Structures are given as structure tokens and as C-alpha cells.
Amino acid sequence: MSMTPTLNFFEQQLKFERVQSANLSKGKAVSELLSSKNINSKSFDLFLRSFKREQKLEVWAKNKADDSFIFLKSYEYCATTGVLGPKRRSGDRQIPEGFYEVDLFNPNSQYLLSFRINYPNKSDLVFADKLNPGDNIFFHGHSVTIGCIPIGDDNIQELYLLAAKAKSASGTINVHIFPTIMNEHNYKTINYEFGTDANLLAFWSWLKAGFDAFEDTKKLPIIVIENSGKYLVI
């Protein structure tokens, strides 16, 4: 009696027409991108780092056996909305800020292809509107947004394949979203611009610790969310 082999996540995704199409047009480029960085496409972790002011999404990867991440490439936002600062309620048109994970893939998205982050997380739920914090924040195709991050149809096909392959490797896809590239110059700038908002500056100081930890080591820091909602970087 023969047993039908279990399909991995990526193979399951290939059952969907749009993912099939993406693989036909972008699969070779994805494989070559990973190969060019000596990343094993069957056993790697993916990390996404997004900067709202610069409207840029960075993609990093590492082999499971390696300690540190390697930069793969970056994508530009096709559109943006809201202002600097975290998302705090449904309808505020804000792109979230904080430390997240990918928790859902949508191969039949209204915006071609998309995958979602786990907003609101434990920190958001402390500070956001208790009845209506908002949800369903995606990276997706097309060029419109009311709080998500669109990178266009061509780019989302490539990124979706990368993310689905990483998911197949049984890895958590971490996503860090910052108000800006939080080097010392930019951090001083936003502290000056928003200097009257003590709560926002405190929140950004937590994010800065996470940014610095990765910048220094190219390793994902351990981040704990305290009951107060504060991010603590270990």
C-alpha cells in the first residue's frame, strides 16, 4: 500500500493559480537570489525589516545552521498612509510599528497576493483602542493602502515565494516595522520633531533597542513584551 507524500507549505501554495503564476515568472529569480547568497532554499530563515519614512522594506535571510542574517534585497513601498507612530485603532490609517511575525498567507488576495502580520500583538493590545484596535495588516500587491504595506504586483510575487519557501522550512518569519531607519541621526531627528509627545518617544526608545541589537550583530534579538506593553530587548 503506497502512501501519498505530505506536501510542504510551499507545495500546498502551488495549488493556487496566482502562486503558480508567480512561480512561473519569478521562481527562477528567487532561486538565483538565494543561491547568490549561499542560502539553502530548503532550510532558511527569512526576516523582514520595514521603514515607514523611507518607504522601504528590507529582506534578510540566513541558513538554519548559521547565526547571522545576510541582506538579500529591498523593495520600495508603492503607497503609504498615516504618519509616524504606531497603529492604535481601526480606521486610523496607520501602518503599525513594532515587532511582529507573519501569521497568514492569502493566495487569493484582493491585492493579488498577500501575507499578514500578527497585529495587534500583546503590546498593541495594551495601548490600542480596547474595542476596535484594528487588524488584518498585510504586505500585498497593487499600489493602494489604508494601513497595509503595498509593494506592487511584480514585487509581491517574488516576496510571496520567498516567504512561502521560508514557511516551508518551518521557520517563523519575523517582521520589524520602524518609523524610520533608526540610526543616531534619524533617531535624534524624530525625537526633535515629536519632542512634546513623551509617550511616543518612550515607545520609540523600545524600538530603537531592537534596531540597534540587529544592526550590531545581524542576529535577531530576543524580544519580550512585558505586561505593561513595553518591549524589552534581551
Side-chain angles (χ1 to χ4, degrees), residues 42-80:
K42 302 292 186 182
S43 181
F44 75 102
D45 294 320
L46 198 70
F47 168 52
L48 305 179
R49 193 166 69 155
S50 187
F51 304 105
K52 289 166 57 173
R53 173 161 280 178
E54 291 79 9
Q55 298 184 38
K56 182 168 76 169
L57 172 63
E58 292 182 348
V59 184
W60 297 74
K62 75 172 185 68
N63 292 310
K64 289 284 187 183
D66 295 338
D67 290 330
S68 56
F69 281 83
I70 298 170
F71 176 75
L72 288 185
K73 68 181 302 179
S74 64
Y75 301 103
E76 302 297 321
Y77 295 13
C78 288
T80 190

Side-chain angles (χ1 to χ4, degrees), residues 56-209:
K56 182 168 76 169
L57 172 63
E58 292 182 348
V59 184
W60 297 74
K62 75 172 185 68
N63 292 310
K64 289 284 187 183
D66 295 338
D67 290 330
S68 56
F69 281 83
I70 298 170
F71 176 75
L72 288 185
K73 68 181 302 179
S74 64
Y75 301 103
E76 302 297 321
Y77 295 13
C78 288
T80 190
T81 187
V83 296
L84 299 192
K87 181 175 183 64
R88 291 299 183 234
R89 61 179 175 81
S90 178
D92 64 4
R93 303 178 65 87
Q94 285 290 96
I95 295 171
E97 294 173 9
F99 304 112
Y100 301 98
E101 298 174 1
V102 172
D103 70 352
L104 179 76
F105 285 74
N106 185 0
N108 294 310
S109 172
Q110 181 181 352
Y111 305 105
L112 187 63
L113 295 166
S114 63
F115 53 86
R116 188 179 71 184
I117 62 171
N118 64 327
Y119 173 92
N121 64 18
K122 180 180 174 182
S123 174
D124 298 315
L125 289 172
V126 172
F127 299 110
D129 185 276
K130 302 306 180 188
L131 297 179
N132 225 345
D135 58 7
N136 285 328
I137 302 298
F138 287 84
F139 291 89
H140 60 66
H142 293 11
S143 299
V144 295
T145 182
I146 53 171
C148 296
I149 298 177
I151 59 171
D153 291 353
D154 194 57
N155 288 334
I156 195 60
Q157 290 184 82
E158 187 171 83
L159 183 58
Y160 193 95
L161 294 177
L162 279 167
K165 284 178 178 287
K167 175 70 173 177
S168 284
S170 301
T172 297
I173 302 173
N174 287 277
V175 180
H176 294 181
I177 306 178
F178 298 100
T180 186
I181 297 172
M182 298 188 83
N183 56 36
E184 293 306 318
H185 176 269
N186 290 350
Y187 186 58
K188 287 180 181 177
T189 298
I190 60 174
N191 271 264
Y192 175 77
E193 291 176 355
F194 296 85
T196 59
D197 192 334
N199 290 332
L200 182 57
L201 298 189
F203 174 76
W204 281 341
S205 73
W206 309 338
L207 301 191
K208 173 81 162 108

Side-chain angles (χ1 to χ4, degrees), residues 5-16 19-20 42 164-165 168:
T6 302
L7 298 179
N8 64 31
F9 182 78
F10 183 72
E11 292 166 338
Q12 292 170 6
Q13 286 290 300
L14 286 175
K15 292 182 176 181
F16 296 94
V19 185
Q20 291 177 21
K42 302 292 186 182
K165 284 178 178 287
S168 284

